[in-house]
Amino acid sequence: MKKFTIIVSLFLIANSSIIGQGNLPKGKNQLNVGIGLSEFGTPIYLGIDHGLAKDFTLGGEISFRGYRENWRNKYYRHNITEISGNVNYHFNSVINIPRKWDVYGGLNVGFVVWSSPNDYGGDNTSGLGLGAQIGARYYLSNKVGLNLEFGSGSAYYGGKFGLTFKL
């Protein structure tokens, strides 16, 4: 375990001296794609972030998932679509982390559309939802990164993982 810690530390120190990618500059955009974690199926998502000001981004996202539910001994297929917006603060300059990383947190608001069969009598309903998130990105290059986010929202009850592409 000690060797692993030393190797990881050396790797992070070496990477901190590379001219990195950091958070999104004002006026620039990035595309996010991936899968999510939810108690209601596995969502796929597509989103975009826009550099609003130093350390702030404004974004939008659409996600879709389907899942089956056994309700009163009968299986029902549901579809959930969410359209949401978010604002994030990026902590890189505050906590002085290597520029290959982007650590952020923020708030989101979205509208969820539940689609269930007509004969389903359960209580899934469409509606507005508010939430918060915290996440991080690791940039593999100047244009491509991995992202991981945890939080809550209109339809997310866990997190999401995916790729980020700077446009």
Side-chain angles (χ1 to χ4, degrees):
M1 184 66 180
K2 223 180 222 185
K3 286 181 184 179
F4 176 76
T5 304
I6 291 170
I7 291 170
V8 169
S9 297
L10 289 173
F11 175 77
L12 290 175
I13 291 168
N15 277 328
S16 67
S17 63
I18 296 171
I19 295 175
Q21 295 72 24
N23 38 320
L24 196 59
K26 181 179 177 180
K28 298 293 183 176
N29 298 306
Q30 65 190 16
L31 185 69
N32 304 297
V33 298
I35 62 172
L37 304 171
S38 168
E39 65 181 284
F40 303 110
T42 303
I44 56 171
Y45 70 90
L46 174 68
I48 191 161
D49 294 318
H50 177 75
L52 193 58
K54 183 180 187 302
D55 299 330
F56 285 94
T57 56
L58 182 65
E61 183 175 291
I62 186 165
S63 70
F64 175 80
R65 94 236 15 226
Y67 78 99
R68 284 176 35 132
E69 177 186 21
N70 184 356
W71 187 73
R72 295 190 177 173
N73 296 320
K74 184 176 178 186
Y75 282 94
Y76 293 91
R77 174 89 176 144
H78 306 281
N79 293 314
I80 305 169
T81 303
E82 178 183 16
I83 299 172
S84 62
N86 64 65
V87 63
N88 286 305
Y89 178 77
H90 299 261
F91 296 98
N92 290 36
S93 57
V94 173
I95 58 178
N96 197 26
I97 60 173
R99 292 181 53 109
K100 281 188 161 270
W101 289 93
D102 175 19
V103 177
Y104 62 92
L107 302 173
N108 64 69
V109 60
F111 189 79
V112 178
V113 179
W114 289 77
S115 175
S116 299
N118 290 335
D119 61 338
Y120 176 71
D123 62 359
N124 295 336
T125 59
S126 300
L128 186 66
L130 302 172
Q133 67 275 345
I134 187 162
R137 290 184 181 86
Y138 179 78
Y139 287 97
L140 304 169
S141 70
N142 287 330
K143 295 283 186 184
V144 179
L146 301 173
N147 65 52
L148 177 65
E149 185 176 292
F150 296 99
S152 65
S154 308
Y156 281 107
Y157 299 96
K160 55 188 177 178
F161 175 77
L163 295 172
T164 295
F165 302 95
K166 286 191 175 179
L167 305 175

